Amino acid sequence: MPTHSTPLPVVGPRHAAPPGRDRLSAFLTASWAALHLPVIVLLGLSAHHQAEAGSPVVATAPDLPVT
């Protein structure tokens, strides 16, 4: 009895996703970007605005004495 087997022919890349899965991946990537990029931009603008504000304003009136 022979113990060897005939290899199956390989057509194209072994780990290629089916065409429907490629469209799903593209949709999920686009929806992630659409939801997260505005948040990232707003956080960047907030950090920039706080950096421009500089140090906090120091009080000009002296503290009241403790009684």
Side-chain angles (χ1 to χ4, degrees), residues 61-67:
D63 291 336
L64 296 175
V66 178
T67 57

Side-chain angles (χ1 to χ4, degrees), residues 13-46:
R14 293 186 77 118
H15 299 288
R21 180 113 175 156
D22 289 339
R23 282 185 267 150
L24 177 62
S25 297
F27 171 75
L28 291 175
T29 301
S31 62
W32 182 92
L35 294 174
H36 287 81
L37 286 179
V39 173
I40 293 170
V41 168
L42 289 175
L43 287 173
L45 289 174
S46 175

